[in-house]
Amino acid sequence: MVIDEYVMLIYLLFLSSLMTVVVGFNWQVEHDNTVGVIVDGELVFASEEERWTRHKHSPGEPPTNALRQAFLFLRRKYGIKPKDIDAYAVNYDPKLSPPSIRRSLVAAAFTSLIDKGVRLDLFQGGIIGKGLGTLRLGLLYLRGDYLDFARRFIRFAIHSTGEDAPDNIRVIPVPHHLAHAASAYYFSGFDNAAVLSVDGYGEFEATVVWRVRDGEFEKVVSIPTVYGSLGLLYEEVSAKVGYDNLEGPGKVMGLAPYGRASKYYEKLKSFIRFDDGDYPFRFFVPGKWKIKGTDVNYRQPYKFIANSLYLGGRVP
């Protein structure tokens, strides 16, 4: 289970020869929201939002404070103003998700930003302005234009420093699993490597294997979330044994090497098929939920597996 604790913009190091200043931050707003800055190919700034809000993992908190501090740092250290920033990178590409997911991201982003006091400048200027703002919001929802809110968020953070925001703000959406893979690769010290990214979910996939040669990423294997997510299973099993859903999976993964093969191993194995043909594995929950398809509640299969391991409620 890989948790988004560290700077997600490392995946853009390969663009350093083209760009001078790149700012990256977590977007969609979920947890462990972070901002980082690369100047001339070097990571010069990184800050987690939880350091400013004092809320562990910063759940549902857009990285407003961290981004503002990044702008202040660039101005103080390098004399770089927002208009000098070449691009912003985010660790999610909504175009890779189904339309229904994109629309849900727009709704979630709007609610999160409004709740946290981020001004979106949608409803300015009396009745006409409010009407036009409502129309624009509706169009953003229908198109699933989740990145429009990223640009509005950036403008809000820039204005909070007393600077003017440029008209054209370039936001580069990077596929979620590529972000994870690149953040591991660029810190590894290897020129060539195989990288495994295992997450709860991304735009549509949960596990990806990459081959990397001199910074060029080639996707070798991709397992869609609807075939089964090892990350989501870790979350549900962690909750079952008494941990929370953010820190729990990492702790359980750390404890796993100290365990022994047991009845749980065989029981877990019974929910996985390795003979699918198209993919290395898929989860199978007999008589309950269909993994290969769209589930009303995508967590239910994992809850079912966790409950079957430990009958009688949460493990003490």
Side-chain angles (χ1 to χ4, degrees):
M1 178 73 174
V2 181
I3 294 184
D4 299 333
E5 288 184 342
Y6 299 104
V7 183
M8 291 277 88
L9 66 95
I10 304 303
Y11 43 68
L12 278 181
L13 275 173
F14 67 92
L15 289 177
S16 61
S17 62
L18 302 176
M19 298 178 181
T20 303
V21 185
V22 178
V23 177
F25 57 93
N26 296 63
W27 200 260
Q28 58 197 31
V29 179
E30 287 192 330
H31 60 84
D32 296 285
N33 300 292
T34 307
V35 172
V37 181
I38 289 176
V39 175
D40 289 334
E42 179 184 359
L43 179 64
V44 299
F45 177 93
S47 179
E48 295 176 322
E49 184 66 13
E50 69 172 30
R51 300 298 184 180
W52 305 98
T53 65
R54 312 310 296 172
H55 300 149
K56 187 64 175 175
H57 297 296
S58 57
E61 295 178 336
T64 310
N65 296 285
L67 186 56
R68 182 176 186 274
Q69 292 299 323
F71 291 138
L72 295 175
F73 170 82
L74 285 172
R75 185 171 64 189
R76 182 176 65 251
K77 179 75 173 179
Y78 299 99
I80 294 173
K81 294 189 175 184
K83 64 181 179 62
D84 302 318
I85 294 173
D86 295 279
Y88 296 83
V90 296
N91 62 322
Y92 192 87
D93 187 349
K95 290 183 179 179
L96 299 179
S97 295
S100 60
I101 298 299
R102 294 202 299 269
R103 288 192 288 270
S104 70
L105 290 176
V106 170
F110 177 78
T111 302
S112 175
L113 295 175
I114 292 295
D115 286 347
K116 299 304 178 183
V118 176
R119 190 177 64 249
L120 300 177
D121 294 334
L122 274 169
F123 307 103
Q124 294 180 327
I127 296 177
I128 295 178
K130 289 180 173 61
L132 292 175
T134 301
L135 177 61
R136 178 166 178 76
L137 180 61
L139 292 174
L140 292 175
Y141 177 79
L142 291 174
R143 292 203 310 264
D145 193 354
Y146 171 68
L147 297 181
D148 183 86
F149 286 111
R151 288 183 284 269
R152 292 175 184 275
F153 169 67
I154 293 167
R155 290 191 184 97
F156 174 82
I158 291 174
H159 290 151
S160 74
T161 67
E163 296 282 354
D164 293 327
D167 293 331
N168 297 320
I169 294 177
R170 185 184 182 194
V171 177
I172 300 175
V174 177
H176 189 73
H177 278 271
L178 176 58
H180 279 305
S183 67
Y185 168 77
Y186 284 114
F187 279 121
S188 72
F190 293 110
D191 293 324
N192 303 325
V195 183
L196 173 65
S197 175
V198 182
D199 203 358
Y201 54 88
E203 294 86 352
F204 65 94
E205 52 199 356
T207 301
V208 182
V209 180
W210 304 83
R211 179 187 291 117
V212 191
R213 298 180 184 277
D214 298 321
E216 294 291 330
F217 286 76
E218 177 190 356
K219 187 182 294 186
V220 178
V221 177
S222 170
I223 301 177
T225 304
V226 293
Y227 261 63
S229 166
L230 293 171
L232 290 176
L233 178 61
Y234 255 92
E235 284 191 359
E236 293 304 326
V237 171
S238 300
K240 191 68 176 179
V241 299
Y243 292 102
D244 64 27
N245 70 323
L246 290 179
E247 293 192 11
K251 291 179 178 178
V252 172
M253 192 163 57
L255 289 170
Y258 297 97
R260 295 194 304 258
S262 65
K263 61 181 180 181
Y264 299 119
Y265 172 79
E266 292 299 330
K267 199 150 193 177
L268 274 172
K269 193 175 178 181
S270 70
F271 294 111
I272 301 176
R273 297 290 182 268
F274 298 97
D275 56 355
D276 181 79
D278 294 328
Y279 298 95
F281 68 84
R282 69 180 177 94
F283 285 20
F284 177 70
V285 183
K288 253 327 189 187
W289 294 275
K290 184 180 179 184
I291 300 293
K292 189 178 178 181
T294 301
D295 296 301
V296 175
N297 185 337
Y298 67 91
R299 287 186 178 272
Q300 288 305 316
Y302 310 104
K303 292 181 185 293
F304 176 81
I305 295 173
N307 289 334
S308 71
L309 295 176
Y310 309 113
L311 299 178
R314 175 176 287 187
V315 175

